[in-house]
Amino acid sequence: MSLVSEWAVGGMAAATAAAALLACVWRSGAFSALRVEEATFGPYALLYLRAKGPVWSTAPRALHELEHMVVDDARMEHEADKALMDTIGLYYDDPSVMPANQCRCLVGYCVNTHGRTDIPGQVSDLRKLSVVKSGELRAEQLPGSRCLAVQLPFWGRLSVVVAVLRAYPLLLKEAEARLGADAAARLRAQGVLEVYRPRERRMWVALPLATRDVLLAAEAAEEQLAS
């Protein structure tokens, strides 16, 4: 093969790789027009795991642990295939002001067990699971919450990066404009909610307008006892 031909082949390969990369970035929402809307998330029967540490490493690791615990429980394996709805992350602390090793979050599955429509009944079903009885996972009700939210495409980790770089600042700026800086800061301290729907290839970054003691009463009660 001549030198010119080698250059041509190399150029085509580079162009193909660049096009593939651009396509990934494009579908992740990096260039999508984003807007803040009001939306309601929940109510959910939530099966979740708590974690603490640097957000970028801790949340994915916690989600991986959660997936394994769910699959390892034979009673959940069937439900996971048929009835898992959304995956959520609730991030309590702002990593720009909180030391990385103190940042708290929870990751969870929003589960519809055996087709039940009553949330307390679903939570009761979940509490019978071995992984909940052992204390490895928790099951609680996450009430419906009105939120300020930004919707993005969801194509994995890159979409999460886009959410942090684009959706978070937009959401917090809108909250300040609507509610004032002090009220927006108080809401941010209550936690930011991320909702993922992989089957629909969509995700949301949301700022709940309800306080955390309403969102997860059991978690708030434990924090009060610990303080």
Side-chain angles (χ1 to χ4, degrees):
M1 182 181 292
S2 68
L3 185 59
V4 173
S5 297
E6 289 179 0
W7 283 350
V9 171
M12 289 176 62
T16 301
L21 177 60
L22 182 60
C24 289
V25 173
W26 182 276
R27 73 180 184 179
S28 71
F31 305 111
S32 300
L34 302 181
R35 65 179 185 274
V36 178
E37 301 176 317
E38 287 198 23
T40 298
F41 297 97
Y44 298 127
L46 187 64
L47 183 67
Y48 69 96
L49 176 69
R50 297 188 299 180
K52 181 186 286 188
V55 174
W56 282 107
S57 58
T58 301
R61 184 171 64 249
L63 182 58
H64 184 70
E65 291 176 14
L66 176 66
E67 290 170 350
H68 276 277
M69 289 181 194
V70 167
V71 172
D72 286 345
D73 190 303
R75 295 180 59 193
M76 276 302 297
E77 190 170 3
H78 175 70
E79 297 299 333
D81 183 49
K82 287 192 171 183
L84 288 176
M85 298 184 292
D86 301 342
T87 303
I88 73 163
L90 185 59
Y91 301 92
Y92 292 156
D93 302 301
D94 184 348
S96 67
V97 297
M98 179 69 72
N101 64 346
Q102 294 299 311
C103 288
R104 298 161 299 161
C105 69
L106 66 82
V107 294
Y109 285 131
C110 304
V111 184
N112 177 15
T113 59
H114 306 292
R116 300 183 67 149
T117 56
D118 61 308
I119 301 299
Q122 293 175 20
V123 172
S124 178
D125 278 353
L126 292 174
R127 286 177 176 166
K128 297 172 185 176
L129 298 174
S130 61
V131 286
V132 177
K133 287 182 176 179
S134 69
E136 296 170 276
L137 297 182
R138 295 186 170 212
E140 297 290 346
Q141 177 173 338
L142 185 69
S145 178
R146 195 70 180 163
C147 301
L148 297 179
V150 178
Q151 183 182 158
L152 303 98
F154 179 62
W155 292 91
R157 190 74 178 267
L158 185 56
S159 295
V160 178
V161 174
V162 170
V164 171
L165 295 178
R166 296 192 64 208
Y168 269 69
L170 178 63
L171 182 63
L172 296 175
K173 182 178 179 181
E174 181 68 17
E176 288 182 0
R178 293 192 188 195
L179 307 171
D182 290 344
R186 285 195 296 271
L187 286 176
R188 173 65 185 89
Q190 294 291 337
V192 173
L193 183 67
E194 294 182 3
V195 181
Y196 306 92
R197 291 182 183 158
R199 293 177 185 176
E200 299 177 15
R201 294 293 184 187
R202 293 191 293 166
M203 68 171 287
W204 289 261
V205 177
L207 192 64
L209 299 177
T211 57
R212 194 191 309 159
D213 62 339
V214 173
L215 282 176
L216 277 172
E219 294 290 321
E222 279 196 17
E223 286 183 5
Q224 212 167 28
L225 287 172
S227 61

